[in-house]
Amino acid sequence: MSTDFQPVSGFVLPRYAGVPTFMRLPHIPLDDPRLAQVHIGLIGAPWDGGTTNRPGPRHGPRQLRDASTMIRAQHGITGLRPFEAANCADLGDVAPNPADVQDSLRRMTEFYTQVRAAGIVPLTAGGDHLCTLPILRALAHDRPLGMIHFDSHTDLFHSYFNGMMYTHGTPFRRAVEEELLDPKRVCMIGIRGTAYDSEDREFARSVGIRVIPIEEFHKRGVADVMAEAREIAGAGDTYVSYDIDFVDPAFAPGTGTPEVGGPSSWQALECARLLAGIKIVGADLVEVSPPFDPSGGTAYLGASLMFEMLCAIVQAKS
Ligand code: MN
Ligand code: MN
């Protein structure tokens, strides 16, 4: 394992100092020759062109980078030291076109196609949830993936505003239609809140997506729900998509479409920890909207969830 990929220790340079990168890892852009040595790439997707309600996740990556400088090298519970088990790096931001949805989707697909070609597992900080669609287009172009999806919302709607097919409420409908996901290996956890109608849930039922609504989540508990999620994902390649609005807005107010009655930050972290064992080929943490939480607490939880997912990816790798 190369020592080039260790985070800067807080004993060497205080954690509030220096140019912030994700988890204080080295910045390795896609044209850097060291890219070939990277196993896990942390990537910012500063784009919220799919947002239908309160915006702001375009500012997520910068605040998440800053908050992630608080992350230390060793997991507090498991003792895992992920940066010694895999070469991790900050690959920088994908450059979107804030004035054009389709051009942004194309740019992101192209970026993640390069990441995949380099054999790197991407861990993305969004951005709104439409960012996940171009990532899946790059990672799943040759076979459908399973997916574990934490969210208040299914994001399975057909369209918004008279036929708008590409919003943060539709990415997984498109992903199923484009055969990027194997619906029988998809599990959506934490779904709640008032609804427009039941169209999304009916679609889930019709294609075999397992939806675990919040009332079932609270009744059964994290360990039992996650055991079922791992079983649904099975042994195949699986993507993990984590919308911060899965977490109760008391703990994560910095998001555009909050829904009350959700998990605590402890339960949210435990869910991510119990992804260990799944063959994760990519993961994201989306919908952190800094303007709605100037305290930065939401971003700190988001960065901590990214560290949990990073640890799960490392465990899948070994
Ligand atoms: Mn979502
Ligand atoms: Mn959501």
Side-chain angles (χ1 to χ4, degrees):
M1 203 52 55
S2 170
T3 51
D4 292 356
F5 295 93
Q6 294 309 304
V8 178
S9 166
F11 292 164
V12 175
L13 181 71
R15 286 182 287 144
Y16 54 82
V19 177
T21 58
F22 284 120
M23 300 178 197
R24 313 194 85 197
L25 290 161
H27 176 213
I28 313 273
L30 294 192
D31 59 359
D32 190 306
R34 290 172 296 167
L35 190 75
Q37 298 171 57
V38 177
H39 302 129
I40 301 170
L42 287 81
I43 298 163
W47 185 60
D48 56 16
T51 301
T52 58
N53 192 29
R54 306 188 303 167
R58 68 179 61 185
H59 305 295
R62 188 162 288 181
Q63 197 189 37
L64 284 160
R65 264 197 188 86
D66 192 10
S68 77
T69 62
M70 296 289 281
I71 302 290
R72 303 178 188 87
Q74 180 169 306
H75 193 288
I77 296 166
T78 65
L80 185 75
R81 299 179 65 83
F83 307 116
E84 292 173 10
N87 289 345
C88 303
D90 185 333
L91 306 189
D93 283 351
V94 55
N97 175 349
D100 190 318
V101 171
Q102 292 306 324
D103 188 35
S104 292
L105 294 174
R106 268 192 300 276
R107 286 162 179 244
M108 290 177 68
T109 303
E110 199 179 302
F111 185 98
Y112 284 90
T113 298
Q114 288 183 61
V115 170
R116 187 187 174 194
I120 296 169
V121 176
L123 173 56
T124 301
D128 73 29
H129 224 151
L130 186 54
C131 291
T132 307
L133 179 63
I135 298 172
L136 290 173
R137 283 175 172 168
L139 299 186
H141 71 87
D142 53 352
R143 81 285 185 230
L145 300 174
M147 181 174 74
I148 309 297
H149 171 207
F150 302 99
D151 205 321
S152 286
H153 317 98
T154 63
D155 298 346
L156 276 175
F157 281 95
H158 175 269
S159 55
Y160 281 56
F161 306 112
N162 271 330
M164 295 310 292
M165 309 283 277
Y166 298 94
T167 79
H168 67 162
T170 65
F172 302 123
R173 184 70 160 260
R174 298 291 89 76
V176 170
E177 290 168 355
E178 295 178 26
E179 297 181 358
L180 306 173
L181 293 174
D182 173 358
K184 303 217 159 35
R185 291 183 51 232
V186 173
C187 182
M188 301 188 164
I189 303 169
I191 311 304
R192 63 185 183 272
T194 54
Y196 297 110
D197 53 40
S198 302
E199 191 232 327
D200 59 330
R201 301 274 194 115
E202 280 158 17
F203 176 77
R205 256 193 302 278
S206 74
V207 294
I209 290 174
R210 171 74 165 113
V211 173
I212 300 180
I214 198 66
E215 60 274 20
E216 186 182 338
F217 174 89
H218 284 307
K219 202 167 171 188
R220 289 172 59 190
V222 172
D224 194 34
V225 163
M226 288 309 297
E228 185 187 350
R230 288 194 303 272
E231 204 174 302
I232 289 168
D237 290 354
T238 300
Y239 192 80
V240 176
S241 195
Y242 206 124
D243 185 327
I244 195 74
D245 75 28
F246 170 68
V247 189
D248 193 276
F251 301 88
T255 195
T257 317
E259 306 287 355
V260 299
S264 67
S265 49
W266 167 252
Q267 290 172 307
L269 291 164
E270 207 178 10
C271 283
R273 196 174 317 130
L274 291 174
L275 292 164
I278 294 173
K279 198 175 168 211
I280 302 171
V281 297
D284 61 48
L285 186 281
V286 297
E287 298 284 358
V288 170
S289 181
F292 293 109
D293 183 8
S295 80
T298 305
Y300 183 60
L301 174 59
S304 303
L305 288 167
M306 287 180 71
F307 182 75
E308 289 285 4
M309 290 193 278
L310 179 75
C311 289
I313 293 168
V314 163
Q315 285 167 280
K317 210 184 137 280
S318 51

